[in-house]
Amino acid sequence: MTPLDDFDRASATVTGLVSGIRPDQWTLPTACVDWDVRAVVNHLAHGNAKVAFWAGTGPPAPDGDHLGADPVTEFAASVARARAVLAEPGLFTRTVTTPLGEVPGVFLVHMRVNEYVVHGWDIADATGASTDLLPDLASQALEQWRSRFGAAPRQPGGPFGPEVEAPEEATAADRLAAFLGRKAVSERW
C-alpha cells in the first residue's frame, strides 16, 4: 500500500460518512465541543483546501464556509482537489512548509489521513454510525500522536484535551479519539 492508497481509503470512508448525514444531523453536537457536525465537515474541507498552499502550488485557503448550499458535493470536490495536489509527481520527496514546520511532502498525505480518521470518528459518533473506522490507519495515527505528545500535558484551549479512558471493547478509532481527549457524545461510552 502506498500513502495515496491510505489517503484514498480514509477519504472514501469519510466521504461515505458525509454522504450519509441526514438533513437533521448537520447541527448535532460532536466530541469537538465547539463544533457541530457541519463545522467538523467544514474543517475537513478547509484542510483539504490548505493542501495546495502547503504544497506550494496554490494560494492560502481563507477561513469561512467551504461547504456552501450543497455540503456533500462540496466536500467530495474538496477531497478530489486535495488528492490531485497530493498525486503531483515529486511531491512526496520535496520539502513543503506546514504548520508543523518543514517536512517531506509525503507528510501532507499523513496529515490528511490522520484528520480523516479522527474527524471521521467525530462524525460517526455524532450521527450514530459505526466508529469502527479503518482499524489499521487508526492504530497508525494513534502511534503517531503518542509519539508526538508522549506524556506531556495538553495545553488548555488547544485542539486536544487530556486523554480520556476508552472502554475495554473500544475500537482502534475509539482509542485514538480517547487519546486525543474526545468523549463520545453518543450513549456508547
Side-chain angles (χ1 to χ4, degrees):
M1 282 240 172
T2 69
L4 276 177
D5 292 331
D6 291 345
F7 176 89
D8 290 341
R9 289 176 50 226
S11 65
T13 296
V14 174
T15 300
L17 287 167
V18 170
S19 296
I21 298 170
R22 297 187 319 261
D24 63 318
Q25 292 179 315
W26 288 97
T27 58
L28 290 175
T30 69
C32 292
V33 179
D34 295 329
W35 289 347
D36 62 11
V37 170
R38 183 182 171 97
V40 170
V41 176
N42 189 63
H43 171 74
L44 286 171
H46 186 219
N48 290 337
K50 291 178 180 179
V51 169
F53 176 68
W54 291 330
T57 62
D63 291 337
D65 182 23
H66 291 265
L67 299 177
D70 187 353
V72 173
T73 300
E74 289 301 320
F75 179 75
S78 79
V79 170
R81 288 187 297 271
R83 192 196 191 286
V85 171
L86 296 172
E88 290 176 2
L91 174 68
F92 286 11
T93 56
R94 68 180 167 82
T95 300
V96 299
T97 303
T98 73
L100 302 174
E102 301 277 318
V103 294
V106 72
F107 188 78
L108 292 175
V109 177
H110 300 302
M111 284 176 58
R112 297 315 307 144
V113 168
N114 286 352
E115 284 271 308
Y116 290 149
V117 175
V118 171
H119 290 304
W121 182 92
D122 293 327
I123 296 164
D125 173 59
T127 62
S130 172
T131 59
D132 192 9
L133 306 175
L134 304 158
D136 59 325
L137 296 179
S139 294
Q140 250 178 349
L142 179 57
E143 286 177 35
Q144 291 169 0
W145 283 110
R146 283 193 177 164
S147 171
R148 183 168 176 216
F149 283 139
R154 315 281 168 80
Q155 298 300 316
F160 307 112
E163 183 175 1
V164 298
E165 188 172 335
E168 191 173 305
E169 70 279 0
T171 68
D174 290 336
R175 288 191 303 279
L176 171 63
F179 179 76
L180 296 176
R182 286 160 163 77
K183 176 136 178 48
V185 294
S186 65
E187 296 297 318
R188 296 175 314 105
W189 49 283

